[in-house]
Amino acid sequence: EGRHGQKKENPESPELIKARQEREAIQVREYCDLKDSFKDIVDSKKRDNDSLRVTTSLLRKSPDYYTVWNVRRTILQEGFLNNSDDETANKIYANELEFVQENLKLNPKSYWMWNHRRWCLEHMSQPRWDKELAMVSKFLELDARNFHGWDYRRYIIRQMDLQDKSSSDKILDRTQSEFDFTTTKISQNFSNYSAWHNRSTLLGKLAKNMTEEEIEAAVDNEFDLVKNAIYTDPADQSAWLYDLWLIGREERSISILGATVISFDPLEIVVAFDKIVNVRNPFTVTTMLDHVATRLHGEWKATGSDSSRGSIWIFQHAPGAAYGPTVEVVIFPDDVCAVKAGSKLSSAVCFELETLNQNFDSISGRLERLPIGKNLMYDVSKRIGPIPVPDGTTHKPNSKYRVTSLTVSDSLEDRVALLEREIATVRELAELEPDCKWPIQILSMLLSELRETVSIQSTQAKLIDDECIELQEKLISIDPLRQDRYEDRRAQLVFDRETLHLIKDSKNFPEIEFADEQPRALDLSMRGLTHIPISSYLMHIHTLNLDSNSITSTRFLRNLLNVRQVNLSNNLIERLEGLRHAPTLELLTLENNLIAKWEDVVAGFVFWREGKLSRTGGHLKVLLGLNPIIENEGGEYVLEKRWEDVGEVGVEIQWKSEEYRVTEEALIEAEGEGAANIHMDGTRRISTTTVEFDAGSTL
Amino acid sequence: MADIDSLETTVFDAIVLGTGFTQTIVAAALARAGKTVLHLDENEYYGGESGAFGFRDLLQWADKVAPAPSDDALNEENKDKIEFDKLVARAYDHFEIQLFDESGSNSNTAIDLASVLSSHSAASMDDRVKAVEEHITAAYNVKDLSKEAKEAIHTLASWASGSESSLTAANFKTVSPTQIRTLEEFLKATRKYNFDLSPKLLYSRGPLTNLLISSGIGKYLEFKLLERTAVYEALTDKVEMMPTSKEDVFVSKALSLKEKRLLMKFLQFAVDYENQKEVWRDYKDAPFIQFAQRAYGLSDKVLTAVVYAIGFDGNDYATTADGLKSVKVYLQSLGRYGNSAYLCPLYGVGSELAQAFCRVSAVYGGIYMLQHGLDKHNVDRNANIWKSVVDKSGQTLQANQLICTREYLSKDMDSYLEARILNRSYVSHCILVTDRSAFGETTLCKTLFPMGSLVLNPGETPVRKNQHTISVLQSDTPKASAKEELTAAIRKLVHIPGDPLSLKAPTSESNIDTQANTQAPQHLGDSTTAAAGEDKPRMSLDQELDMDQVREEILKAEKKLFEENENNTPVPSRPSTPSPKPASKVFQKSKTSASLSTVPTVAPRVLFSLFYKRTTSWPRVPYPVGSEKLTPLPENMTVLKPMNHSLDFESATEEARAVFERLCPGAEFLPPTPDPEDGAF
């Protein structure tokens, strides 16, 4: 207890200060002596009483000195326990337990002490777990939020359960009493992550022995408890987390939007998912060669710099290798898993891709002609082996819907009813507490959850989207510290809303596919977007207008397999990225952004060109007017030209791959001066309004 | 304790008369500041009007102060006389004792005293009592009466023999064997309880507690925590447990989710109310309840919790500024020593605190003499200076300063003060002993009956309601449980063992029969004309108190709390038991939930009651605390206020501080006692 703001009567006299310093000096000396003795023990490997005493004294002063604990155990094992009978050993362990407990009182958050305790108990012939439980209960009385205590408690319970593994009744009773213990702790102070967490796991265990009615009653009880906590203190995160856990998340299955061939030599196949996924097993690609089904070998890679995760995956076969008139891609449920929430494909899917007509004018033209996925999706979930017969249907293998984290139902309506009830409660709280971020955040999450249960093109879905966007805006204003996070979420929501018309509800809801009519242009200008989510939905877009947003990255371009023109003027972009998989891109407008270095532009081109895989020529024009690059590093005449000429300032590159490669490598080696050098070496003409950057003169 | 003959000197810096709470703080502070202090008390116990007694001592105390003192006219002869006993007795009146009588007065077993009383109406008091005593003993007809049984019969006889005007006498026109037995048991268990004359509580983080800690005086004391606060709700006609902490709000089943939110929101505001003046500025002088209702839209239920359970300090006319201040100190106090904002000394309230301060004073050289009769004051009237006090042995004791309460004034001084009292104010007390707790296992519990909540004449018009808020403090004595090993973690100030509040020497339960061992001393305090002394001009201050009404109010509260107790809400015991809706109910059909301890099905009965009224009258002007004195009183003496109606000690603590600062300008008020480790002590 301090002196509570009362000013001290007399400042400490010099004598008192001196006396204190002397006392402290003695303590320091003692500690150093102990440490020296300890070193001797380590060196001499002495295992006697004296060395044990040194560790005792040292640990009293410095319980977190874990080496001493380790040495102490060695001393005990080699010097005392190795030739002692059971009784003596137990005495030694009991002594150790007492020593630890005494120190734990002073320092209840030391890992090493709890570990030492476990070591003793695990080596004793008859550890008294019940005593341990009582001990840890007392510690949790002193500090109900000490996670060491909770962790140790779970450990003890595990040990006790192990001893009673033949008696499920005993284990159940214990689980129940542990559950009741969390109730007690939560009643005393519900701001306790450990208690809520423990409760959730215990409840799950208890539920296994309950009837459906009992589970439902238990869940109601939990909702009641957590609602009371939330209404009492809406700013307490621990209760909200439990609430979210209780509501649970429906594991949504992954939908495949479509598959198509994008190159015939080498054979390249694209598969588009509606979520970002990991591929666990490469999808099987087979073709009929000489009336024999032959598996094609190649590599599946996601678009983007991290080729192990993405929503668009590309298969590349060896150049020049043969394949038949049709190619089949089979994807089994276990092959993919969503990066978030771990959801899976609901059934195996087979695509039959036509490869007979190879008469493409250009890459993009081909994409237009091949209707992606449509009429080519087959459900082979029940008939793996023989080539599947197309019947145009898929079915949900599991007909149960999640209602809460512990309950399921045959009807989706139950989930909807639960969500609507929860939303109403949180909405009321959000109205009462307009300045508290938690109710708003949870409301937004619950609404998104509800949106998953309704048809994605429905009016209700649109209303939900609008409300969620509004909620993000509210969050930005009341919690500016986390503004970026809310803005990203908002961008995702706006993007989802604006791209909704690109997909349609499938008759096998919640499966989705591309809409029949794919528009070619999408205008998302002035939407306040901070980023464009990595999404497959834009696969068919030719012209994308993103003028006047707050976008900081062009990475999303990697999923625009068919894009020609992107307007990113008046954004916050610093470098060119994601061009590797935008081979069809022709015009990229980046006026009034934050690009300051030529390297950041050139690197983007390199990837773009690599993305073309030396197949064909191309022409990309990037407009860079009003970027710092023009003013800072662009070289004096570029700057001059910009003012003299009307219209666009930028770089136009035309290239022929082989020739350009040489130039480019040379440039990149030039390091810091590279930017300027690119100009000098690669530019034929810097005199007109457009800076042309022509690497290879003609084909 | 010093012996007057052993005094090395009879001249002191200060003489303090009376060991009431406020004086003892002043005495301790003076001694701590290096002044020589002589501290005298006419009583043989510490605490003065905040004293605490066992049962027998309580009866004796009542016996002593109950009779109305004769009042001699002021004359040259007696003007300097100190008539302590008289002035104490004057401060109390309306004594009334009742004893539970199972049989009722019409029963055959009742012993009628009318004939013996009338036949001895002319006899002396002693003879009358003796005759009645013999009459009762004969009628009681029990062989081998215990010492206490005889004492009980004697006590009953003396009550019955009281004067015509005695309210107690009217209650004992007959006595029953039940009454004799009850009284006998009480006398046997006399040391089992402490009855506080002015029960109060400490805020865990209020000025007094902070002072106890900073000065180191808390080391001398042991406390327990107030467990519950209940308020009578007129709407439901129930005494309901109030949510008074975040955890209570969380587990409360009485409040809707929305009410919980609004309540918490209001409390969050109150913690910071000083920085949010704009919210309450317009309500500053308006009643607190009005602000809470209008500015925060609190429902009636929540209002009751905020205004009474949390923010009530004894004043029915609290302004918004008063109320918010109380709520804030309450909230700051929560959680310091557990889930409660109030501390209560383990063995009696005022007397324990007073003794602790006396101890500090003694450590710093203060000299203490209890049971020290005083004769008169010597005053230099020309210079208007108090010179000395003369004790009954004729010893003259001099000091530069005199600090005392009104009971120690000379006739002359007292008359001066009396003439300046414009408005009378009183606190009515009622000490009850019941056969069981009104709140299940809850032992220390506060209950309030808000002003205007009790209908005194149900079904009649015009409706009469209680005009004052009635506060009840229950301090029960449950089974003495083993001390919790780990409570030692709560260091220094609070040691919260399982021992009950009033159990001075824990007796084993088997000594006493079942009825007695669940007895629960209750204290009903009715802060009548609470505002009078407090410079609050709202009441019509001069009207004579309607004592019948006050008694009726307290009786009604008593009924609601005890006889009609089955209406009251179940009391979830706490804090170690889970939420009111334990999940185990759901999971284990076979196991009964032990988490709810409901009110016993049998309503508690009142076994004994002692009613009395204490004056708290004080001149309204001009006596601002500490800054100025009542001029015609000698300049070097300080008369401290009587203990007021407040439920806490804060105003008394502030008064002591102000007095000290006036007497010793610039000196620090009770600085920390040095740490022995630093070698200076």
Side-chain angles (χ1 to χ4, degrees), chain A residues 4 188 228 231 432-433, chain B residues 247 260-261 265 336 678:
Chain A
H4 299 275
Q188 285 162 3
N228 275 293
Y231 265 74
L432 287 170
E433 291 298 312
Chain B
E247 285 63 41
K260 288 184 178 193
R261 185 78 293 270
K265 211 173 159 135
R336 186 176 201 178
D678 280 344

